[in-house]
Structure formats: structure tokens, C-alpha cells
Amino acid sequence: TYPSLRVGGHLCLPTPGSHRATAFTTALLQEQARSAVAILRSWSWDVAKSWPILLLCLVSSVAAGYGYLFLLRHGARALTWGLMGLLVGLSAATAVYCLFTLGTDKDRASAIFGGFCDHPVGLARTVGGLSACFAVLFTALMFYLYSGTKKAVACVDASCEAIISQVVLLRFPAVEVCVKAVFTLMWLAVFSYVISSGP
């Protein structure tokens, strides 16, 4: 049907240099470039070329684990009460702004809430009222949960002291990150072998 060249007596290919040979070679290369093996190989080369960034991420992960442990040990109490106080403060500030600033200034209320409803002042007052309710609720929760939160923070402090006092536990963040990295590399190697084996 077209000029061809016998290869090993079994396979016929278009004659080199012909239009059909060029089209055949182009289609074959495009098929190979879009194959799963080619894409996986490209990704593997990307990973291999970016090893400094991956190594930095590995070290950063270990440092983040120890940093988190340090913050828990020395800042659990401040972080817990600070977050609860921040919730109360943000709710109260939103209530004051919506009730006494937007609730009395139609232009500002329209600029913020005008795209949501036809009565921006009413919506601002509603948001302010809800924020005030949340502020009161968070304040009541702070006083109600004060004893339990204090005990929980004490438990966190004791746990951090136990981890720091045990050298084996102190090595755990670094060991965990390294084990996960090795597992990921092994999984990629096996997965690459399965993909490249074909059907």
C-alpha cells in the first residue's frame, strides 16, 4: 500500500525519507512522549535535579518537629489562653465596629455590605449583634473551662518534660521524618518498576 522496507522479514516500515516515514516517526515519538513511563521518567529527573530543595525540606521538617516540641514546652499556656483571648477580642472588636461605626454610617455600610443585601445598615447591626453574642459566649466558656483548660495545659507541660527527659523519645521527630522519606523512596521505586513493566 506504500513504499516499505522489510526488517528481519517480519516488520514493514515506511521507506526512510518518505512522507509516511516522517509521519510514522513523529506519531511514534509523540506516543512515547505521552506514555506513562516517559512522564514518570520526567518526574523522576525533576526530583533528582531538585535534591537540594528536598534535602532542605527534610531538615526543615525535623527542625519544625523540635520547634513544635519547644513551643509546647514553653508556650502552651500562653498559646492556649492567647487564642481564647484573641477569639474574645476579635468578636468584641467586630461587634463594636459593626454596631457603632457601620451601624451609624450608611455609606461605609453600603461599601462593605451593599453587595449582599438592600439594607446594609441592618445587616451591619445584625453582624454586630451576633459578634457581641459570640464575645459573651467565648468569655463565659473561658471562665467555665478555666479549671479543665488549666489541667490540660499542665498535662501538656508534663508530657513535654517526659519527652525531653527521655533521649529515645527526643530522637523521635528526626527518626520519623527519615523513615517516611525512606518509605516514600521505596514506594516510588516499586511503583516505577510496576509502571515500566507494561501490561
Coordinates of all heavy atoms in Angstrom, one line a residue, residues 135-186:
A135 N -18.8 37.1 71.5 CA -17.9 37.5 72.5 C -18.3 37.2 73.9 O -17.5 36.7 74.8 CB -17.7 39.1 72.4
V136 N -19.6 37.3 74.2 CA -20.1 36.9 75.6 C -20.0 35.4 75.7 O -19.6 35.0 76.8 CB -21.5 37.4 75.7 CG1 -22.1 36.9 77.0 CG2 -21.6 38.9 75.7
L137 N -20.3 34.7 74.7 CA -20.3 33.2 74.8 C -18.8 32.7 75.0 O -18.6 31.9 75.9 CB -20.8 32.6 73.5 CG -20.8 31.1 73.4 CD1 -21.6 30.5 74.5 CD2 -21.2 30.6 72.0
F138 N -17.9 33.3 74.3 CA -16.5 32.9 74.4 C -15.9 33.3 75.8 O -15.2 32.5 76.4 CB -15.6 33.6 73.4 CG -15.8 33.0 72.0 CD1 -15.8 33.8 70.9 CD2 -16.1 31.6 71.8 CE1 -16.0 33.3 69.6 CE2 -16.3 31.1 70.5 CZ -16.2 31.9 69.4
T139 N -16.4 34.4 76.3 CA -15.9 34.8 77.7 C -16.5 33.9 78.7 O -15.8 33.5 79.6 CB -16.4 36.3 78.0 OG1 -15.9 37.1 76.9 CG2 -15.9 36.7 79.3
A140 N -17.8 33.5 78.6 CA -18.4 32.6 79.5 C -17.7 31.2 79.4 O -17.4 30.5 80.5 CB -19.9 32.4 79.2
L141 N -17.3 30.8 78.2 CA -16.6 29.5 78.0 C -15.2 29.5 78.7 O -14.8 28.6 79.3 CB -16.5 29.1 76.6 CG -17.7 28.6 75.9 CD1 -17.5 28.4 74.4 CD2 -18.2 27.3 76.5
M142 N -14.6 30.7 78.6 CA -13.3 30.8 79.2 C -13.3 30.6 80.7 O -12.5 29.9 81.3 CB -12.7 32.2 78.9 CG -12.1 32.3 77.5 SD -11.3 34.0 77.3 CE -10.0 33.9 78.5
F143 N -14.3 31.2 81.4 CA -14.5 31.1 82.8 C -15.0 29.7 83.2 O -14.6 29.1 84.2 CB -15.4 32.1 83.3 CG -14.9 33.5 83.4 CD1 -15.2 34.5 82.5 CD2 -13.9 33.8 84.4 CE1 -14.6 35.7 82.5 CE2 -13.4 35.1 84.5 CZ -13.7 36.0 83.5
Y144 N -15.8 29.1 82.3 CA -16.4 27.8 82.6 C -15.3 26.7 82.5 O -15.3 25.7 83.2 CB -17.6 27.5 81.7 CG -18.2 26.2 81.9 CD1 -19.0 25.9 83.0 CD2 -18.0 25.1 81.0 CE1 -19.6 24.6 83.2 CE2 -18.6 23.9 81.2 CZ -19.3 23.6 82.3 OH -19.9 22.4 82.5
L145 N -14.5 26.8 81.4 CA -13.5 25.8 81.1 C -12.1 26.2 81.7 O -11.1 25.5 81.4 CB -13.3 25.7 79.6 CG -14.6 25.2 78.9 CD1 -14.3 25.2 77.4 CD2 -15.0 23.9 79.3
Y146 N -12.1 27.1 82.6 CA -10.8 27.6 83.2 C -10.1 26.4 83.9 O -8.9 26.2 83.6 CB -11.0 28.7 84.1 CG -9.7 29.2 84.8 CD1 -8.8 30.0 84.2 CD2 -9.5 28.8 86.1 CE1 -7.6 30.3 84.8 CE2 -8.3 29.2 86.8 CZ -7.4 29.9 86.1 OH -6.2 30.3 86.7
S147 N -10.8 25.7 84.8 CA -10.2 24.7 85.5 C -9.7 23.5 84.6 O -8.6 23.0 84.7 CB -11.1 24.1 86.6 OG -10.6 23.1 87.3
G148 N -10.6 23.1 83.7 CA -10.2 22.0 82.8 C -9.1 22.4 81.9 O -8.2 21.6 81.6
T149 N -9.1 23.6 81.4 CA -8.0 24.1 80.5 C -6.7 24.1 81.2 O -5.6 23.8 80.7 CB -8.4 25.4 79.9 OG1 -9.6 25.4 79.2 CG2 -7.3 25.9 78.9
K150 N -6.7 24.6 82.5 CA -5.5 24.6 83.3 C -4.9 23.2 83.5 O -3.7 23.0 83.4 CB -5.8 25.3 84.6 CG -4.6 25.6 85.4 CD -5.0 26.4 86.7 CE -3.8 26.7 87.5 NZ -4.2 27.4 88.8
K151 N -5.8 22.2 83.7 CA -5.3 20.9 83.9 C -4.7 20.3 82.6 O -3.7 19.6 82.6 CB -6.4 20.0 84.4 CG -6.9 20.3 85.8 CD -8.0 19.4 86.2 CE -8.5 19.8 87.6 NZ -9.7 18.9 88.0
A152 N -5.4 20.7 81.5 CA -4.9 20.2 80.2 C -3.5 20.8 79.8 O -2.7 20.1 79.3 CB -5.9 20.5 79.1
V153 N -3.4 22.0 80.1 CA -2.1 22.7 79.9 C -1.0 22.0 80.8 O 0.2 21.8 80.3 CB -2.2 24.2 80.1 CG1 -0.8 24.8 80.1 CG2 -3.1 24.8 79.1
A154 N -1.4 21.7 82.0 CA -0.4 21.1 82.9 C 0.0 19.7 82.4 O 1.1 19.3 82.5 CB -1.0 21.0 84.3
C155 N -1.0 19.0 81.8 CA -0.7 17.7 81.2 C 0.3 17.8 80.0 O 1.2 17.0 79.8 CB -2.0 17.0 80.8 SG -3.0 16.4 82.2
V156 N 0.0 18.8 79.2 CA 0.9 19.1 78.1 C 2.4 19.4 78.6 O 3.3 18.9 78.0 CB 0.4 20.2 77.2 CG1 1.4 20.6 76.1 CG2 -0.9 19.8 76.6
D157 N 2.5 20.2 79.6 CA 3.8 20.5 80.2 C 4.5 19.2 80.7 O 5.7 19.0 80.4 CB 3.6 21.5 81.3 CG 3.3 22.9 80.8 OD1 3.5 23.2 79.6 OD2 2.8 23.7 81.5
A158 N 3.7 18.4 81.4 CA 4.3 17.2 81.9 C 4.7 16.2 80.8 O 5.8 15.6 80.9 CB 3.3 16.5 82.8
S159 N 3.9 16.2 79.7 CA 4.3 15.3 78.6 C 5.5 15.8 77.9 O 6.4 15.0 77.6 CB 3.1 15.3 77.6 OG 1.9 14.8 78.2
C160 N 5.7 17.1 77.7 CA 6.9 17.6 77.1 C 8.1 17.4 78.0 O 9.2 17.1 77.4 CB 6.7 19.1 76.8 SG 5.4 19.5 75.6
E161 N 7.9 17.5 79.3 CA 9.1 17.3 80.2 C 9.5 15.8 80.1 O 10.7 15.5 80.1 CB 8.7 17.6 81.6 CG 8.6 19.1 81.8 CD 8.2 19.4 83.3 OE1 8.1 18.5 84.1 OE2 8.1 20.6 83.6
A162 N 8.5 14.9 80.0 CA 8.8 13.5 79.8 C 9.5 13.2 78.5 O 10.5 12.4 78.5 CB 7.5 12.6 79.9
I163 N 9.1 13.8 77.4 CA 9.8 13.6 76.2 C 11.2 14.1 76.2 O 12.1 13.5 75.7 CB 8.9 14.3 75.0 CG1 7.6 13.6 74.9 CG2 9.7 14.3 73.7 CD1 6.7 14.2 73.9
I164 N 11.4 15.3 76.8 CA 12.7 15.9 76.8 C 13.6 15.1 77.7 O 14.8 14.9 77.4 CB 12.6 17.4 77.3 CG1 11.9 18.2 76.2 CG2 14.0 18.0 77.5 CD1 11.6 19.6 76.6
S165 N 13.1 14.5 78.8 CA 14.0 13.8 79.7 C 14.4 12.4 79.1 O 15.4 11.8 79.5 CB 13.2 13.6 81.0 OG 12.0 12.8 80.8
Q166 N 13.6 11.9 78.2 CA 13.9 10.6 77.5 C 14.6 10.8 76.2 O 14.0 11.3 75.3 CB 12.6 9.8 77.4 CG 11.9 9.4 78.6 CD 12.7 8.4 79.5 OE1 13.5 7.6 78.9 NE2 12.6 8.5 80.8
V167 N 15.8 10.4 76.1 CA 16.6 10.6 74.9 C 16.0 9.9 73.7 O 16.0 10.4 72.6 CB 18.1 10.2 75.1 CG1 18.9 10.5 73.8 CG2 18.7 10.9 76.3
V168 N 15.5 8.7 73.9 CA 14.9 7.9 72.8 C 13.7 8.7 72.2 O 13.5 8.8 71.0 CB 14.5 6.5 73.3 CG1 13.8 5.8 72.2 CG2 15.7 5.8 73.9
L169 N 12.8 9.2 73.1 CA 11.7 10.0 72.6 C 12.1 11.3 72.0 O 11.4 11.7 71.0 CB 10.7 10.2 73.8 CG 10.0 9.0 74.4 CD1 9.2 9.5 75.6 CD2 9.2 8.3 73.4
L170 N 13.2 11.8 72.4 CA 13.6 13.1 71.9 C 14.1 12.9 70.4 O 14.1 13.9 69.6 CB 14.7 13.7 72.7 CG 15.1 15.2 72.5 CD1 13.9 16.1 72.7 CD2 16.3 15.6 73.4
R171 N 14.6 11.7 70.1 CA 15.1 11.5 68.8 C 13.9 11.1 67.8 O 14.1 11.0 66.6 CB 16.0 10.3 68.8 CG 17.3 10.5 69.5 CD 18.1 9.2 69.6 NE 19.3 9.4 70.4 CZ 20.1 8.4 70.8 NH1 19.7 7.2 70.5 NH2 21.2 8.7 71.6
F172 N 12.7 11.0 68.3 CA 11.6 10.5 67.5 C 11.3 11.4 66.3 O 11.0 10.9 65.2 CB 10.4 10.4 68.4 CG 9.2 9.8 67.7 CD1 9.2 8.4 67.4 CD2 8.1 10.6 67.3 CE1 8.1 7.9 66.7 CE2 7.1 10.0 66.6 CZ 7.0 8.7 66.3
P173 N 11.2 12.8 66.4 CA 10.9 13.6 65.2 C 11.9 13.3 64.1 O 11.4 13.2 62.9 CB 11.0 15.0 65.8 CG 10.7 14.9 67.2 CD 11.3 13.6 67.6
A174 N 13.2 13.3 64.4 CA 14.1 13.0 63.3 C 14.0 11.6 62.7 O 14.0 11.4 61.5 CB 15.6 13.2 63.8
V175 N 13.8 10.6 63.6 CA 13.6 9.3 63.1 C 12.3 9.1 62.2 O 12.3 8.5 61.2 CB 13.6 8.3 64.3 CG1 13.2 6.9 63.8 CG2 14.9 8.3 65.0
E176 N 11.3 9.8 62.7 CA 10.0 9.7 61.9 C 10.1 10.3 60.5 O 9.7 9.7 59.6 CB 8.9 10.4 62.7 CG 7.6 10.4 62.1 CD 6.5 11.2 62.8 OE1 6.9 11.9 63.8 OE2 5.4 11.1 62.4
V177 N 10.8 11.4 60.4 CA 10.9 12.1 59.1 C 11.8 11.2 58.2 O 11.5 11.0 57.0 CB 11.5 13.5 59.3 CG1 11.9 14.1 57.9 CG2 10.5 14.4 60.0
C178 N 12.9 10.7 58.7 CA 13.8 9.8 57.9 C 13.1 8.6 57.5 O 13.2 8.1 56.3 CB 15.0 9.5 58.7 SG 16.1 10.9 59.0
V179 N 12.3 7.9 58.4 CA 11.6 6.7 58.0 C 10.6 7.0 56.9 O 10.4 6.2 55.9 CB 10.9 6.1 59.2 CG1 9.9 5.0 58.8 CG2 12.0 5.5 60.2
K180 N 9.9 8.1 57.0 CA 8.9 8.5 56.0 C 9.5 8.8 54.7 O 9.0 8.4 53.6 CB 8.1 9.7 56.5 CG 7.1 9.4 57.6 CD 6.3 10.6 58.0 CE 5.3 10.3 59.1 NZ 4.5 11.5 59.5
A181 N 10.7 9.4 54.7 CA 11.4 9.7 53.4 C 11.9 8.4 52.8 O 11.7 8.2 51.6 CB 12.6 10.6 53.7
V182 N 12.4 7.4 53.6 CA 12.8 6.1 53.0 C 11.6 5.4 52.5 O 11.7 4.8 51.4 CB 13.6 5.3 54.1 CG1 13.8 3.9 53.6 CG2 14.9 6.0 54.5
F183 N 10.5 5.4 53.2 CA 9.3 4.7 52.7 C 8.8 5.3 51.4 O 8.4 4.6 50.5 CB 8.2 4.8 53.7 CG 6.9 4.3 53.3 CD1 6.6 3.0 53.2 CD2 5.9 5.2 52.9 CE1 5.4 2.5 52.8 CE2 4.7 4.8 52.4 CZ 4.4 3.4 52.4
T184 N 8.9 6.6 51.3 CA 8.5 7.3 50.0 C 9.3 6.9 48.9 O 8.9 6.6 47.8 CB 8.5 8.8 50.2 OG1 7.6 9.2 51.3 CG2 8.0 9.5 49.0
L185 N 10.7 6.9 49.1 CA 11.6 6.5 48.0 C 11.4 5.0 47.6 O 11.4 4.7 46.4 CB 13.0 6.7 48.5 CG 13.4 8.2 48.7 CD1 14.9 8.2 49.2 CD2 13.3 9.0 47.4
M186 N 11.2 4.1 48.6 CA 10.9 2.7 48.2 C 9.6 2.6 47.5 O 9.6 1.8 46.5 CB 10.9 1.9 49.5 CG 12.3 1.8 50.2 SD 12.1 0.9 51.8 CE 11.5 -0.7 51.2

